[in-house]
Amino acid sequence: MSEAIHAGSHDRVVTSVAKPPNVWRLICEDVACVKTRDPAARGKLETLLTYPGIHAIIWHRVANWLWLHDHRFPARLVSWFCRFLTNIDIHPGATIGRRFFIDHGAGVVIGETAIVGDDVTMYHGVTLGGVSWSPGRRHPTLEDGVIVGAGAKILGPITVGGNARIGANSVVIETVSRDSTVVGIPAKTVHRDVVRHTFGGRINLNHHLIPDPVGEAFAALVDRVEFLEARLANLQLKVKGAAQTSAAHGERSGAAEPPRII
């Protein structure tokens, strides 16, 4: 009997630890996290009343709760109302982690099977979209701490690793490794940095400090062309000098035809 009691107590402890936070706690965390992501945030009340990204995530928490409890039509109705008010379209079936922040927010689209981890920051114009009609998982997974720049499109059932940065207007169609920075169409990894995640307790928002691989490639090509042009000019001078020397020598020796340079 004692063992049974202890076993039951252990089960209750495990259940309580594994139980996810309620909707109200999630909303409180969503509001509180803004001050660590946006220097313009001046207070919780102002944030709550004026940030469309906060309004969108609040409505989504409600819609997602309805969706998970099989109230599908009310969930879709709440989602539609949220889009009407905020211009942010989050499917009620999408899984959104804790302390999620959408800055500015306009034009953000998150699909039904998308999974967003904790402490993710997203800017306006971002799409987490699908590329298949097949049932099941069709949308991306963003792990904890990801930053997605404005206008980026992340498509398909791929995974963006923790603390990764997606450059603005990038199109991501392949899995992104942890701590990477990707840019371009299609997006390619241009940088990896495992120490940039936080500073002073705040998330590092320096997502504009992104290398320019195309510019670097053109700069290398320009340097190479300049080097080859200088080398060619030097060779031309040598050939011209050799030709003049040979011509002068031919005149002195009475050669019938000018020398040929091979």
Side-chain angles (χ1 to χ4, degrees):
M1 178 66 70
S2 177
E3 293 178 356
I5 293 174
H6 287 304
S9 175
H10 175 72
D11 291 340
R12 286 194 298 272
V13 171
V14 171
T15 301
S16 64
V17 170
K19 185 179 180 180
N22 59 38
V23 173
W24 175 250
R25 176 177 288 275
L26 289 173
I27 291 174
C28 290
E29 291 181 349
D30 293 329
V31 175
C33 79
V34 174
K35 66 179 179 182
T36 65
R37 319 278 182 90
D38 184 5
R42 296 188 296 180
K44 290 184 179 180
L45 180 60
E46 179 180 302
T47 298
L48 181 62
L49 295 178
T50 63
Y51 275 63
I54 291 298
H55 302 159
I57 190 61
I58 290 174
W59 286 113
H60 172 72
R61 300 294 188 195
V62 176
N64 182 249
W65 185 91
L66 293 170
W67 185 269
L68 295 178
H69 289 79
D70 292 326
H71 304 299
R72 298 298 172 89
F73 177 73
R76 293 304 300 265
L77 196 60
V78 170
S79 178
W80 170 84
F81 183 69
C82 168
R83 180 182 181 184
F84 178 78
L85 291 178
T86 66
N87 196 27
I88 298 172
D89 187 359
I90 307 177
H91 193 284
T95 301
I96 307 294
R98 304 169 75 168
R99 298 175 296 277
F100 178 54
F101 178 47
I102 305 175
D103 201 358
H104 301 291
V108 169
V109 177
I110 300 177
E112 176 185 4
T113 61
I115 300 174
V116 178
D118 298 339
D119 301 305
V120 170
T121 303
M122 189 177 293
Y123 289 84
H124 53 281
V126 171
T127 298
L128 304 186
V131 294
S132 172
W133 286 95
S134 61
R137 184 166 172 263
R138 308 182 306 278
H139 299 89
T141 295
L142 275 55
E143 295 184 351
D144 298 349
V146 170
I147 298 177
V148 186
K153 315 301 178 187
I154 308 175
L155 306 176
I158 61 176
T159 299
V160 178
N163 303 334
R165 290 186 294 181
I166 310 300
N169 294 318
S170 298
V171 178
V172 185
I173 57 176
E174 296 180 349
T175 292
V176 177
S177 59
R178 183 179 179 85
D179 299 309
S180 297
T181 297
V182 300
V183 297
I185 304 174
K188 302 295 183 183
T189 300
V190 295
H191 185 59
R192 294 196 76 240
D193 184 359
V194 298
V195 297
R196 61 164 174 78
H197 178 45
T198 60
F199 64 100
R202 294 172 177 260
I203 290 179
N204 186 348
L205 294 180
N206 293 331
H207 59 292
H208 66 291
L209 301 178
I210 296 175
D212 182 8
V214 176
E216 292 172 358
F218 274 114
L221 287 174
V222 169
D223 290 341
R224 185 63 178 173
V225 169
E226 291 178 350
F227 169 76
L228 292 175
E229 287 178 342
R231 186 174 181 181
L232 179 60
N234 186 48
L235 289 174
Q236 288 174 333
L237 289 175
K238 289 183 178 181
V239 169
K240 184 177 181 180
Q244 291 173 349
T245 302
S246 298
H249 179 71
E251 289 177 358
R252 289 195 300 269
S253 62
E257 60 180 48
R260 290 178 293 177
I261 302 173
I262 300 177

